[in-house]
Amino acid sequence: MTPRTPKPLLAPSILSADFTRLADALAMLAQAERCVVHVDVMDGRFVPNLTLGMPVVAALRRETRLILDCHLMIVEPSRYAVEFVKAGADWVSFHQEADPHAHRTLAAIREAGAKAGLVLNPGTPVETLVDLVDDLDFVLLMSVNPGFGGQSFIPRTLDKVRRLDALRREAKAPFLIQVDGGVGPGNATALVQAGADVLVAGNAVFKAADPLQAIAGLLAEMDK
Ligand code: DX5
Ligand code: ZN
């Protein structure tokens, strides 16, 4: 990963896809440009919802060569992070709020061969990761409270993106900034202009009548 990707990427979240047709979703994403596959892992404890685990990630891996971006919304992420790399995840992120030993877990993900990311909930300030800037490949800022797709974007996230961008410039740290939750055509341009490199979008892609067209529209907004 470079300090800023040449052009920002889109990470459609398969949480909003038809779970009986995940292979079709992957085939559709393979036809699109600049997409990675966002996979939301929820344990019913860190967040009030349960989704999927390693076997599903392994199945996705068999079906696609696209980057698999696994967002772990689980307690004790250090117990499972490397298991997700072994299952085929290319990027693995976990919540800072869930791990008192984030430094160690980030290193374990990198040692296992994946890109390591730390996720911050809406109420967690970006300044809390100032001493981890050399240890992560990306930071995911939640722009909704994690747990469900289709929620409304929290506007204050824009300010967090700007502050995180300033922080990485000051530290000369090359991590990417990802934003997740309530992203759509109405805020994609502002997020990229604030410093975001990767935008997650669930409903804005998979609930659209034509997902490929929705992706093209979002990428166009991101390029403005
Ligand atoms: C929420 C998940 C998100 C979600 C995004 O906890 O982490 O990735 O699927 O969905 P939308 O874009 O519909 O808010
Ligand atoms: Zn997510």
Side-chain angles (χ1 to χ4, degrees):
M1 286 188 191
T2 50
R4 293 295 300 268
T5 45
K7 280 189 166 189
L9 302 175
L10 189 66
S13 167
I14 58 165
L15 183 63
S16 298
D18 179 348
F19 272 21
T20 66
R21 298 275 184 278
L22 288 180
D24 293 350
L26 293 173
M28 182 277 291
L29 294 178
Q31 287 178 46
E33 285 180 66
R34 287 155 54 194
C35 281
V36 305
V37 183
H38 188 78
V39 184
D40 287 305
V41 177
M42 305 186 188
D43 66 352
R45 294 186 64 208
F46 183 70
V47 289
N49 196 5
L50 273 165
T51 55
L52 53 89
M54 287 90 75
V56 175
V57 173
L60 297 170
R61 180 73 292 160
R62 290 195 295 275
E63 195 67 24
T64 188
R65 296 170 71 172
L66 292 170
I67 286 172
L68 292 179
D69 163 32
C70 288
H71 171 194
L72 307 185
M73 285 158 274
I74 64 176
V75 297
E76 297 183 71
S78 60
R79 287 180 61 186
Y80 294 104
V82 168
E83 294 303 312
F84 279 92
V85 182
K86 289 183 188 160
D90 301 287
W91 302 357
V92 176
S93 62
F94 60 96
H95 279 253
Q96 192 185 35
E97 303 86 3
D99 192 348
H101 304 294
H103 182 276
R104 187 160 59 204
T105 307
L106 289 165
I109 293 168
R110 282 179 158 184
E111 270 165 37
K115 300 291 184 193
L118 204 52
V119 192
L120 303 185
N121 274 337
T124 305
V126 297
E127 290 74 18
T128 57
L129 50 75
V130 69
D131 291 308
L132 290 169
V133 290
D134 297 326
D135 306 293
L136 37 82
D137 298 298
F138 65 105
V139 174
L140 172 47
L141 297 182
M142 289 308 303
S143 40
V144 298
N145 287 295
F148 304 94
Q151 303 182 78
S152 298
F153 180 81
I154 298 172
R156 197 176 163 76
T157 313
L158 270 173
D159 183 59
K160 287 182 80 173
V161 175
R162 284 189 208 104
R163 276 160 44 223
L164 186 56
D165 185 44
L167 195 152
R168 73 175 162 180
R169 283 172 200 276
E170 197 178 327
K172 296 189 171 53
F175 60 82
L176 298 183
I177 300 176
Q178 187 177 30
V179 178
D180 184 3
V183 171
N187 52 26
T189 308
L191 283 166
V192 170
Q193 285 176 357
D197 307 285
V198 187
L199 299 185
V200 177
N203 276 20
V205 169
F206 287 105
K207 302 299 184 205
D210 183 342
L212 273 177
Q213 203 176 20
I215 289 170
L218 279 166
L219 290 173
E221 291 295 325
M222 291 160 70
D223 290 344
K224 276 185 183 167

